[in-house]
Amino acid sequence: GENVEQHPSTLSVQEGDSAVIKCTYSDSASNYFPWYKQELGKGPQLIIDIRSNVGEKKDQRIAVTLNKTAKHFSLHITETQPEDSAVYFCAAVLSFGAGTTVTVRA
Amino acid sequence: GAVVSQHPSWVICKSGTSVKIECRSLDFQATTMFWYRQFPKQSLMLMATSNEGSKATYEQGVEKDKFLINHASLTLSTLTVTSAHPEDSSFYICSALGGFDYEQYFGPGTRLTVT
């Protein structure tokens, strides 16, 4: 099956700064890459996704970039706010990365 | 749109008993639903893929006789944890494939505690 690696495992940023999380995948046939945000005690929520025919996608303060040649994709959060603090998961096919705990310091 | 619900949201049961968790797609039909479990501070692990009207496909290492999955309609899949033990305590999350953009939508999760 698909192997997804996610880095870093924890990320602490000052409010207003940017946060970047990177994932790599193994199956070159994968063509859909979602990112999920999970708050404590809740299920994951889709925040942005990208398909293999697109290199970058942006939605307000959140963007995702995809490099199919290198088989990696990244989540970018700009102008971070305290409510961005959560665990973020990337996924490819039905496999999830290990998650990144993001803490935004006020 | 594309809302998935789970019931119950949390449950406590005694060792040896069985627990049923429901996953419903509220405003779309889902021929395929997925069941995941998540231990504290860990990622989601796919347990099984549930297809409406057919047997579920279980991931390697998941006991099909212990985790019974039924997908009897296009909007409902159930996971029954049989003869539960404390090590089955976990957060169980379902997702449904569908909606206007045919994406995977997750339910809020069910926290199971076996005493």
Side-chain angles (χ1 to χ4, degrees):
Chain A
E2 179 67 271
N3 182 37
V4 180
E5 293 190 1
Q6 183 172 345
H7 298 282
S9 57
T10 61
L11 182 59
S12 178
V13 297
Q14 189 69 39
E15 182 177 359
D17 288 350
S18 296
V20 181
I21 306 170
K22 182 177 176 179
C23 285
T24 59
Y25 60 97
S26 58
D27 188 350
S28 57
S30 297
N31 58 9
Y32 176 64
F33 308 94
W35 284 92
Y36 298 90
K37 176 183 180 181
Q38 186 176 27
E39 298 177 342
L40 194 62
K42 298 183 179 179
Q45 296 291 318
L46 177 70
I47 55 173
I48 197 168
D49 55 19
I50 193 167
R51 296 191 181 275
S52 59
N53 59 343
V54 176
E56 182 175 357
K57 183 177 179 181
K58 190 173 182 179
D59 182 5
Q60 299 183 346
R61 298 186 296 107
I62 295 174
V64 56
T65 57
L66 171 65
N67 184 327
K68 283 223 75 179
T69 303
K71 290 192 281 189
H72 67 71
F73 56 109
S74 300
L75 177 72
H76 304 255
I77 306 174
T78 58
E79 300 172 28
T80 53
Q81 300 170 5
E83 52 265 36
D84 294 329
S85 296
V87 181
Y88 292 81
F89 292 98
C90 63
V93 191
L94 296 174
S95 296
F96 282 77
T100 298
T101 301
V102 174
T103 303
V104 180
R105 307 186 306 272
Chain B
V3 177
V4 176
S5 71
Q6 278 185 244
H7 179 82
S9 55
W10 59 272
V11 57
I12 300 173
C13 70
K14 293 187 176 182
S15 287
T17 62
S18 296
V19 175
K20 179 185 285 188
I21 302 170
E22 294 185 347
C23 177
R24 293 182 185 271
S25 55
L26 298 184
D27 48 6
F28 65 100
Q29 294 183 330
T31 54
T32 303
M33 290 184 174
F34 306 95
W35 286 97
Y36 294 84
R37 68 185 299 181
Q38 185 179 34
F39 291 108
K41 298 186 185 301
Q42 294 189 24
S43 188
L44 290 81
M45 297 301 295
L46 180 65
M47 298 175 66
T49 300
S50 168
N51 294 297
E52 186 266 338
S54 64
K55 291 183 178 181
T57 302
Y58 290 82
E59 295 299 301
Q60 191 172 7
V62 178
E63 300 175 60
K64 59 182 67 177
D65 293 331
K66 181 169 185 61
F67 298 100
L68 301 179
I69 292 173
N70 185 285
H71 193 158
S73 78
L74 289 172
T75 60
L76 173 65
S77 176
T78 60
L79 168 68
T80 301
V81 183
T82 63
S83 187
H85 289 105
E87 55 265 32
D88 297 325
S89 298
S90 185
F91 196 51
Y92 291 87
I93 304 172
C94 74
S95 69
L97 198 59
F100 76 96
D101 50 1
Y102 202 63
E103 303 296 6
Q104 187 176 187
Y105 294 93
F106 283 85
T110 296
R111 185 167 301 284
L112 169 64
T113 301
V114 184
T115 61

